[in-house]
Amino acid sequence: LRQATCHVVLRRTKEQCLDLPPKTRVRVDVEPSPTDRARYAEAVAQARRRRAEGGGEGAALALLTAVRQAASEAKAGAALEVCSELLAQGRSVVIFVAYLSTVDALAEGLEKLGTTALRVVGGQSARERQQAVDTFQKPGGPPRAVVCTFGAGGVGLTLTRASDVVLVDRPWTAGDAVQAEDRVHRI
């Protein structure tokens, strides 16, 4: 196929076409609080009970999903600390998570810190998402934070007002993480 189309297809990677600075990734290990540990343990116990009661193939996936969601929620406090530091430096930030409960926790936590946080999540219309993006991209004014789920905000949006991306959760595929980062890493 490549040979058959080489005279009509011009393929260029982003690295070949754009002069962007390299991405800098920083891993932050999180030590959950005793409260977060207790919530996580309870979520795992409940999921295991449901699996034992229901059995079946879907029960294992439900258990894994419950464990991932509990871990996501447990990381919300640490993510708020990282975001608070970035915002105190005058930076704007885009936060990606996998679960709506974590979106809500982060948005509420940022509001308590005095930062209006926009949300880009599934269930919003395309118009609502674009309105959130336009508000975020508006130079100079608040808000300086947007919290997105990977599915709703991870592709097709330009969020270049931000200088930093915080991935609270890891998506199922590495490509989804790169796409989320690239909402900010572009011209």
Side-chain angles (χ1 to χ4, degrees):
L1 181 60
R2 185 175 294 164
Q3 286 179 331
T5 61
C6 69
H7 64 286
V8 294
V9 174
L10 178 64
R11 182 179 184 279
R12 297 287 182 256
T13 64
K14 184 172 22 174
E15 291 77 20
Q16 292 171 313
C17 298
L18 301 176
D19 188 22
L20 293 174
K23 294 179 186 178
T24 302
R25 291 184 177 93
V26 177
R27 178 181 160 163
V28 177
D29 292 325
V30 175
E31 186 63 39
S33 71
T35 303
D36 288 334
R37 284 180 191 267
R39 284 187 196 145
Y40 179 82
E42 179 56 29
V44 171
Q46 282 181 348
R48 283 185 175 151
R49 283 193 296 275
R50 284 193 300 263
R51 182 175 182 214
E53 293 166 2
E57 301 225 357
L61 182 58
L63 173 61
L64 179 58
T65 300
V67 169
R68 283 189 76 220
Q69 184 171 359
S72 178
E73 293 168 357
K75 293 183 279 185
L80 280 172
E81 287 179 28
V82 169
C83 292
S84 176
E85 289 176 24
L86 295 169
L87 292 165
Q89 296 170 17
R91 299 166 80 111
S92 295
V93 64
V94 178
I95 307 157
F96 283 97
V97 300
Y99 299 96
L100 289 175
S101 58
T102 310
V103 169
D104 293 339
L106 289 168
E108 290 168 13
L110 288 164
E111 300 270 340
K112 288 178 185 175
L113 294 172
T115 299
T116 303
L118 296 166
R119 298 170 191 196
V120 175
V121 297
Q124 290 177 317
S125 68
R127 185 174 162 267
E128 290 171 316
R129 285 183 197 162
Q130 191 58 52
Q131 187 175 23
V133 169
D134 292 344
T135 301
F136 179 75
Q137 287 289 96
K138 193 174 191 175
R144 292 184 8 242
V146 61
V147 186
C148 307
T149 56
F150 285 99
V155 294
L157 301 180
T158 298
L159 300 168
T160 52
R161 178 181 179 191
S163 53
D164 298 276
V165 174
V166 175
L167 302 178
V168 176
D169 304 312
R170 295 299 298 178
W172 288 109
T173 62
D176 288 344
V178 171
Q179 282 293 321
E181 293 169 352
D182 285 350
R183 301 309 90 218
V184 172
H185 192 249
R186 55 190 347 168
I187 293 176

